[in-house]
Amino acid sequence: LKDGKTYPSICITKEPYPRIFNTRTINKKYGIFYGPYSKISGMYNILEIIKRAFKPRSCRLPLTPESIKEGKFKPCLEYHIGNCLGPCIGRQSYEDYQENILQAREVLKGNTRDMLKHLAEKMMKKAEELKFEEAEILKQRHIMLENFVAKSEVVSYTIKDVDVFTIEDDDLEKNAFINYMHVRNGSINQSFTYEYK
């Protein structure tokens, strides 16, 4: 923080087709903000899992259902390499896009266990309806989230929502180490260690 910058947050914009990105500028009228994140790598891991699992758009096109019906836009490179499902050209429905954003919000809130349960139920329902391609997409999303949660899972399932602090000193009693963990629904969302001399 020596250069005067603030901790970054993740923003979900209030557009008809919301975008998800990291920012250091908080302005509540543009969107909903999650964070701030003291550990930058943790924030990028969350953004990466959201990008791979839910594929939100990264372009800044002024998308509305009306402008998409009029065919005003062309797909960008992100669509062609599979990082976007093409809402700009009507390849992804408005309802499907909103559902993906809703699921991404749950991940950002730390409700990953509920999200995994919901995805498993939805996957089984699609399989029963013989919609195997849709079920496979949900299965891949479930696996990605499961791997993500496994890295931050707390051993005890009895712990729900807590902030954990510990203070330890070294043998010479000249330095103290303050540890912090932010736990939501049994998963560690943030953690850092601060050395106090």
Side-chain angles (χ1 to χ4, degrees), residues 109-122:
K109 287 178 190 173
N111 299 334
T112 45
R113 283 190 194 160
D114 298 338
M115 195 69 243
L116 285 169
K117 189 178 174 187
H118 171 73
L119 282 173
E121 288 170 0
K122 204 171 173 186

Side-chain angles (χ1 to χ4, degrees), residues 10-103:
I10 294 176
C11 175
I12 298 182
T13 60
K14 291 181 178 176
E15 298 169 286
Y17 288 84
R19 293 177 294 127
I20 302 175
F21 56 91
N22 64 303
T23 181
R24 292 181 188 271
T25 309
I26 308 291
N27 191 337
K28 301 277 185 181
K29 72 177 186 178
Y30 292 120
I32 299 166
F33 293 84
Y34 298 88
Y37 292 88
S38 57
K39 197 172 180 185
I40 309 297
S41 61
M43 180 196 68
Y44 282 119
N45 286 342
I46 292 171
L47 282 172
E48 183 63 26
I49 196 73
I50 286 171
K51 183 180 179 182
R52 286 175 49 215
F54 306 111
K55 301 185 187 295
R57 71 187 183 104
S58 59
C59 63
R60 295 185 176 207
L61 296 172
L63 296 184
T64 60
E66 295 78 28
S67 62
I68 291 167
K69 280 180 187 173
E70 291 170 14
K72 290 185 176 180
F73 310 108
K74 290 183 179 179
C76 63
L77 181 63
E78 290 289 305
Y79 169 74
H80 292 295
I81 62 175
N83 288 340
C84 178
L85 299 174
C88 58
I89 53 170
R91 291 285 169 94
Q92 184 182 22
S93 69
Y94 177 78
E95 293 76 19
D96 186 48
Y97 192 89
Q98 296 302 324
E99 174 71 20
N100 285 1
I101 293 295
L102 193 69
Q103 291 175 8

Side-chain angles (χ1 to χ4, degrees), residues 126-127 130-140:
K126 292 289 182 188
L130 305 179
K131 296 179 179 176
F132 298 117
E133 287 179 4
E134 292 176 35
E136 177 61 25
I137 291 167
L138 291 169
K139 180 185 173 187
Q140 294 302 323

